Amino acid sequence: MPFLEPQVEQAVIRELRRYPPFSDDDIADVDALAVLFPRDLGDLARFPMLRTLHVVGYGGRDLAALAGHPRLASLSMRFSALADVSAVLTLPTIRRLKLPLNAIEDITALRSGLPKLREVDLTGNPLSEESYRELVPELRQRVRETVTVSGEREWQITRKLHAAGVPFDYFRQGDTYLLCRPGLAFTNTPDAAHAEIGPAELEAVLRRGADEVHKLFTREAS
């Protein structure tokens, strides 16, 4: 069969536990994939039985490559550049939508439909005021299990970063506050080498200018 995009091919190797070539039947049988640092997800349309998809570090801005997938039930995409979630409305079987640490501002697409949706995670996204204060509470009334977002302060700081032209996400992990660089524009491993910094200090750094925020990662590496 034609070649797969390299990161997708590596995911198939991990899932099938063997190296290519892969037949059409091999691809048709795959129901779960974990794809690391892809720039293109177009090849996923060739996996008709895919039910569970984990993606880390996607460089794209939307989910158009997954539009209309007939069986996808669980989508996890983190440390990515995703901004547009409208294609989710074309996923009739989606139950779990875990999209933390992306670039999502508008979640209007999640306002209706999606009757099977049970879990949503939007932690670390620069959600708009309307999305955070109005649409998230609405989602919590509709979704059967949990809807997770950042705490007020981390959310506000993430919004300030994006408004200043710094597309980084700020989140809390236990008692630790971390700044990450989602997507592939600033690092090849967006799931690693985060900057540990408290809210007050980060806000002070941002007031000094966007360039100062970028320097935080140089500090962490030194």
Side-chain angles (χ1 to χ4, degrees):
M1 68 178 300
F3 292 114
L4 293 167
E5 196 267 346
Q7 282 72 30
V8 174
E9 182 177 83
Q10 288 299 314
V12 176
I13 291 170
R14 287 190 293 270
E15 181 66 18
L16 297 182
R17 298 183 181 182
R18 61 181 177 81
Y19 290 95
F22 303 121
S23 68
D24 289 336
D25 287 342
D26 290 332
I27 297 302
D29 286 341
V30 172
D31 66 358
L33 283 176
V35 187
L36 305 178
F37 317 128
R39 295 186 181 275
D40 187 349
L41 295 175
D43 281 341
L44 294 179
R46 296 160 62 182
F47 295 79
M49 301 302 292
L50 190 64
R51 290 183 54 80
T52 301
L53 175 62
H54 298 281
V55 180
V56 175
Y58 177 43
R61 301 283 289 174
D62 60 45
L63 297 171
L66 300 176
H69 197 287
R71 291 182 175 83
L72 191 63
S74 178
L75 171 62
S76 171
M77 182 176 290
R78 60 190 66 226
F79 298 114
S80 296
L82 179 65
D84 181 354
V85 297
S86 57
V88 171
L89 285 173
T90 71
L91 302 176
T93 56
I94 198 72
R95 292 174 178 269
R96 304 195 183 280
L97 194 61
K98 300 179 182 181
L99 306 174
L101 303 165
N102 279 278
I104 301 166
E105 297 182 16
D106 182 10
I107 59 169
T108 304
L110 307 182
R111 194 168 204 168
S112 61
L114 306 172
K116 296 184 178 182
L117 198 59
R118 292 178 175 272
E119 180 181 5
V120 178
D121 186 352
L122 298 165
T123 304
N125 282 283
L127 299 175
S128 68
E129 190 82 16
E130 179 186 18
S131 290
Y132 189 85
R133 301 203 185 280
E134 298 179 25
L135 301 186
V136 166
E138 285 184 20
L139 264 181
R140 285 179 168 146
Q141 294 297 315
R142 291 177 45 236
V143 172
R144 298 183 184 183
E145 294 180 11
T146 59
V147 175
T148 307
V149 296
S150 294
E152 175 93 17
R153 192 165 192 188
E154 304 97 87
W155 164 64
Q156 290 282 13
I157 292 174
T158 298
R159 288 190 70 206
K160 290 176 184 178
L161 288 164
H162 282 250
V166 184
F168 298 167
D169 293 338
Y170 190 58
F171 65 105
R172 185 174 181 174
Q173 187 171 286
D175 294 330
T176 303
Y177 290 91
L178 297 168
L179 182 67
C180 71
R181 297 169 290 179
L184 299 173
F186 298 95
T187 175
N188 291 324
T189 54
D191 61 331
H194 308 318
E196 182 176 339
I197 183 170
E201 183 183 358
L202 179 54
E203 289 181 310
V205 171
L206 183 57
R207 285 194 294 270
R208 295 200 299 270
D211 288 346
E212 295 301 310
V213 178
H214 288 271
K215 292 177 184 177
L216 293 172
F217 293 93
T218 304
R219 182 183 74 178
E220 288 294 314
S222 62

